[in-house]
Amino acid sequence: MVKVRCPVIAGEIMRYSKYFIPTYKEIPSDAEVISHQLMLRAGMIRKLTSGIYTFLPAGLKTVRKVENIVREEMNRSGAIEVLMPAVQPAELWQESGRWDFYGKELLRFKDRHNHDCCIGPTHEEVITDLVRKEIRSYRQLPVNFYQIQTKFRDEIRPRFGVMRCKEFIMKDAYSFDADEAGADKSYQIMHDAYMRIFQRCGLRFRPVEADSGSIGGSYSHEFMVLADTGEDEIISCMKCNYAANLEKAEVKAPAETETAKASWEPLQDVETPNVHTIDELTAFLSTGPNHILKTLVFVADGNPVAVLIRGDHQVNEVKLKNFLRADTIELASPGLVAELTGAPMGFAGPLGLKSKIIADHAVRGMVNFITGANKEDLHFRNVNLERDFKVNEFADLRVIMRGDRCPRCGGEINFGRGIEVGHVFKLGTKYSKAMHAVSLDDRGEEQPFFMGCYGIGIARTVAAAIEQNHDRDGIIFPISIAPFEVALLPLQMHEKNVVEISDGIYNACLADGIDILLDDRDVRPGVKFKDADLIGIPVRVTLGERTLKQGMAELKLRSEPKEVLIPLADVPGAVRAKVKELYDQIK
RNA sequence: CGGGGCGUGGCGCAGUCUGGUAGCGCACUUGCUUUGGGAGCAAGGUGUCGGAGGUUCAAAUCCUCUCGCCCCGACCA
């Protein structure tokens, strides 16, 4: 059974008048996205400087609730909590080779002894160093260490409030196994733990396959909270559970068809003065872009390569990079294109090209198509594969698009947006080999650790929850991560009766372990309603003279428009039941 | 780093073009009234107009430099 309650922390102030939740009526002008606006307005965060935020009490409470869920599920999965330093010596990073590779995101500085240091953006080096010093034998494996800690990445452009900032709270875990099979198992355990974590956070999410660079295979999943405002575009199958981000999403190669040589028409020149783009070409020749073959020249690790793709398709540079096993890849400059093809940009074609030629699978299905002629203002018509030119290799090189089918089951696919809140990644032996981190196997031989790393953006998860759950009045928090479970609103603080009854209910709820906020401010009722809605407290109990006369209180959910009247004596029980019901819904 | 925008009281903004010594709403303080969806009236406090330099009798306003922030792009285990 999954434990869902986050216990009230003893001694916490729960009276609004003595607490600190500074809300804004107006939208701060420098907040663009809704979660950023609402976190500022609800008094959860304040900005110190670009990309760096203070968490105010209500924001911190929510962060702590996410952390606690993460901690419980990590512990349940067998991971062990540690806390590593924020400041790290350059030596470790030089050893892994990342000191020179990491770029400007790595904040570097020198200490008084002139030693190079950095503030950790991630902790592979530190944990690998720890494990290589402390773990000797395969008998001590597997292990998985995690921490919840503040990290720093000197982002080029921090934005969207707490979603993409420089200093951020992250849970990161690192697994160490004796062999590949063990690493796969550790990966799966983390994958499962992440499913439980985000479920308990009350989020609609999806694990999607992500690009894993040179490692390949399905050994990287991003956990995406589904929200229209998400930064990442993802696709998911409506029939099976295949889901992937756009750069990873596979496109199934079309079935092999017999080349219809009989239908081949003779090759023709077409004068195309000043026609450079696919759009211009389709208009000029009155044809569809799917009858045109695009020839793009890329430079992969310094070597030019021509990439052929159907006119209505787009090259997926991540796929191209992985296919070529290149470290860097970029579109060739106009000068290089001219040098290679003998024509200015816009007239490149595969005929007579000297460079390596690779093509997307879809090109195979094209007949009598149009290509550039490698000569200014000239194209060819009725070009055909084999007869007119040869392709070195075919591969899946394009971006998936609307109308494509699921690569796994052929089902219809859905395009959507998501916010990446977690990432599980199989590292293999990259760091253990570089840093000579080994254990002895059962034959007494040294073996590098097989590693995995697993991250969760804690504050980003909070922001994602808000992006997904809000309305015109403010945040609608899932109860498991709301700053308070219940808001108690005595409407007339000058009426002794109202105050006494609300104090009684407040104490009864506290005794029940309910995380309740008593809004004991002497302000007008409207202010209390507005603030409770803005902050997003899931359950609201209202005590006003009007219903008190009938011996009743009001119970309302933030997520629903209607309230119900409850006899005063039943209020603590009804609150307890409502809270439980809300937790049960997200189990 | 390239392009664009903005810095005026705690917050949101007007004033800048056309130079004349700073204003509005919210918030805040006090009093009275009010009390079920961000109250009303009255009184009050609040600014080195982001900073530095320059032009001018006079600069929030014009000029130069500079700092910060936001947006778009490039970038992103």
Side-chain angles (χ1 to χ4, degrees):
Chain A
M1 219 40 200
V2 178
K3 187 182 150 210
V4 290
R5 290 298 306 279
C6 167
V8 174
I9 296 161
E12 255 189 326
I13 296 169
M14 304 286 181
R15 288 176 180 269
Y16 205 130
S17 68
K18 304 232 173 0
Y19 204 54
F20 184 65
I21 311 179
T23 57
Y24 289 151
K25 216 186 288 192
E26 287 166 299
I27 301 171
S29 64
D30 56 0
E32 194 77 1
V33 299
I34 195 79
S35 61
H36 189 196
Q37 293 173 358
L38 288 174
M39 287 178 87
L40 288 166
R41 289 188 54 207
M44 297 177 72
I45 56 168
R46 289 293 182 262
K47 185 172 70 185
L48 177 62
T49 182
S50 180
I52 300 183
Y53 290 84
T54 295
F55 280 91
L56 303 185
L60 181 62
K61 277 198 79 176
T62 289
V63 164
R64 290 283 184 250
K65 289 193 179 187
V66 174
E67 286 179 0
N68 282 343
I69 290 171
V70 168
R71 200 170 264 126
E72 283 178 19
E73 293 303 334
M74 290 302 290
N75 292 346
R76 187 193 310 279
S77 74
I80 308 166
E81 187 168 9
V82 295
L83 183 58
M84 290 182 261
V87 172
Q88 306 179 13
E91 282 79 5
L92 279 182
W93 287 73
Q94 284 155 354
E95 210 181 334
S96 72
R98 288 210 288 187
W99 184 255
D100 297 320
F101 263 99
Y102 209 92
K104 288 183 184 165
E105 272 185 29
L106 182 62
L107 182 64
R108 300 153 213 252
F109 63 96
K110 287 179 193 291
D111 69 8
R112 62 163 68 191
H113 303 295
N114 217 30
H115 284 153
D116 282 315
C117 304
C118 62
I119 303 190
T122 177
H123 282 70
E124 280 86 3
E125 282 81 1
V126 176
I127 195 71
T128 304
D129 179 62
L130 179 78
V131 167
R132 74 178 167 183
K133 285 172 174 163
E134 305 295 334
I135 292 189
R136 290 281 121 83
S137 162
Y138 73 98
R139 291 171 190 269
Q140 294 168 282
L141 301 177
V143 285
N144 186 342
F145 291 113
Y146 79 96
Q147 64 174 346
I148 295 175
Q149 191 230 22
T150 297
K151 303 204 180 296
F152 194 94
R153 288 181 197 171
D154 199 354
E155 287 280 343
I156 299 173
R157 181 151 87 87
R159 60 187 120 173
F160 309 143
V162 116
M163 283 230 271
R164 189 177 197 80
C165 49
K166 298 206 274 196
E167 187 177 310
F168 58 101
I169 307 166
M170 183 171 172
K171 186 284 304 179
D172 51 325
Y174 306 89
S175 66
F176 293 81
D177 277 273
D179 54 30
E180 179 122 35
D184 290 350
K185 203 171 158 195
S186 294
Y187 182 92
Q188 191 58 45
I189 288 170
M190 278 297 103
H191 188 283
D192 295 346
Y194 275 36
M195 294 296 286
R196 296 196 302 272
I197 286 167
F198 295 117
Q199 187 152 5
R200 281 185 58 187
C201 288
L203 300 169
R204 295 187 304 282
F205 69 99
R206 198 123 189 203
V208 307
E209 290 184 14
D211 176 50
S212 51
S214 51
I215 293 169
S218 58
Y219 283 111
S220 174
H221 285 85
E222 287 169 350
F223 285 75
M224 304 292 246
V225 168
L226 307 176
D228 296 337
T229 49
E231 262 194 287
D232 300 301
E233 193 162 9
I234 57 181
I235 61 115
S236 55
C237 179
M238 290 162 81
K239 218 166 114 195
C240 73
N241 60 10
Y242 180 78
N245 71 25
L246 213 63
E247 61 183 25
K248 165 79 182 182
E250 298 159 29
V251 178
K252 210 171 175 176
E256 291 283 336
T257 48
E258 276 300 305
T259 336
K261 290 189 182 171
S263 63
W264 283 0
E265 312 250 343
L267 188 68
Q268 273 181 4
D269 289 0
V270 204
E271 298 269 348
T272 49
N274 268 322
V275 176
H276 296 87
T277 66
I278 296 287
D279 281 349
E280 288 165 4
L281 197 59
T282 51
F284 187 81
L285 297 174
S286 313
T287 183
N290 55 335
H291 293 117
I292 297 170
L293 182 80
K294 271 194 286 197
T295 304
L296 299 163
V297 182
F298 282 88
V299 179
D301 292 341
N303 304 311
V305 54
V307 177
L308 308 183
I309 194 147
R310 214 169 77 187
D312 56 332
H313 291 159
Q314 282 207 306
V315 172
N316 182 325
E317 294 196 20
V318 172
K319 287 181 180 176
L320 181 61
K321 187 172 154 183
N322 290 341
F323 176 75
L324 294 171
R325 293 195 177 76
D327 288 328
T328 64
I329 184 160
E330 56 184 357
L331 267 173
S333 63
L336 183 61
V337 171
E339 189 185 315
L340 208 73
T341 67
M345 292 279 264
F347 301 98
L351 277 70
L353 261 194
K354 289 283 184 327
S355 73
K356 181 177 177 178
I357 298 178
I358 61 175
D360 179 68
H361 288 308
V363 172
R364 231 195 287 251
M366 296 175 72
V367 177
N368 296 329
F369 46 88
I370 295 152
T371 75
N374 295 329
K375 201 173 162 195
E376 188 160 10
D377 297 341
L378 195 69
H379 278 80
F380 289 132
R381 176 177 279 194
N382 298 329
V383 180
N384 282 291
L385 269 166
E386 299 303 320
R387 183 189 69 186
D388 302 317
F389 69 97
K390 294 228 186 315
V391 167
N392 295 85
E393 280 182 284
F394 287 92
D396 173 18
L397 296 175
R398 70 177 176 92
V399 180
I400 196 162
M401 58 190 272
R402 267 155 243 275
D404 282 326
R405 312 294 291 192
C406 171
R408 293 291 144 77
C409 76
E412 213 173 310
I413 57 169
N414 193 26
F415 284 73
R417 298 202 146 262
I419 300 161
E420 181 191 347
V421 289
H423 199 159
V424 293
F425 199 91
K426 191 174 154 191
L427 287 174
T429 56
K430 180 177 171 188
Y431 294 93
S432 52
K433 277 185 176 159
M435 296 177 65
H436 194 68
V438 299
S439 64
L440 296 182
D441 65 16
D442 56 1
R443 289 166 304 176
E445 281 173 29
E446 287 188 348
Q447 298 294 343
F449 294 109
F450 282 78
M451 295 171 57
C453 68
Y454 318 93
I456 290 178
I458 302 286
R460 185 185 276 193
T461 300
V462 174
I466 294 168
E467 289 291 331
Q468 195 178 64
N469 302 286
H470 66 268
D471 64 13
R472 213 180 26 231
D473 293 315
I475 304 168
I476 309 173
F477 269 120
I479 194 163
S480 55
I481 61 172
F484 294 93
E485 291 165 342
V486 179
L488 177 58
L489 313 189
L491 297 187
Q492 295 85 19
M493 287 306 291
H494 53 275
E495 292 291 331
K496 211 175 148 209
N497 192 30
V498 174
V499 173
E500 277 173 7
I501 292 170
S502 81
D503 276 353
I505 292 172
Y506 172 64
N507 286 320
C509 286
L510 281 183
D512 270 350
I514 302 279
D515 192 3
I516 187 169
L517 176 69
L518 172 63
D519 192 346
D520 61 341
R521 294 175 297 171
D522 188 13
V523 294
R524 296 174 68 83
V527 176
K528 298 191 181 190
F529 290 134
K530 288 287 181 192
D531 278 340
D533 286 349
L534 180 59
I535 298 163
I537 302 173
V539 180
R540 188 179 87 191
V541 178
T542 307
L543 278 174
E545 287 178 301
R546 191 193 287 171
T547 59
L548 231 47
K549 280 181 202 146
Q550 313 159 39
M552 298 285 202
E554 249 170 56
L555 188 66
K556 182 184 174 299
L557 295 185
R558 176 66 178 85
S559 55
E560 284 167 23
K562 284 200 167 175
E563 64 267 323
V564 290
L565 288 177
I566 310 265
L568 286 174
D570 299 348
V571 169
V575 165
R576 212 183 311 135
K578 236 353 160 193
V579 167
K580 181 172 186 305
E581 189 186 316
L582 289 176
Y583 274 103
D584 286 346
Q585 280 171 15
I586 57 176
K587 234 185 258 181

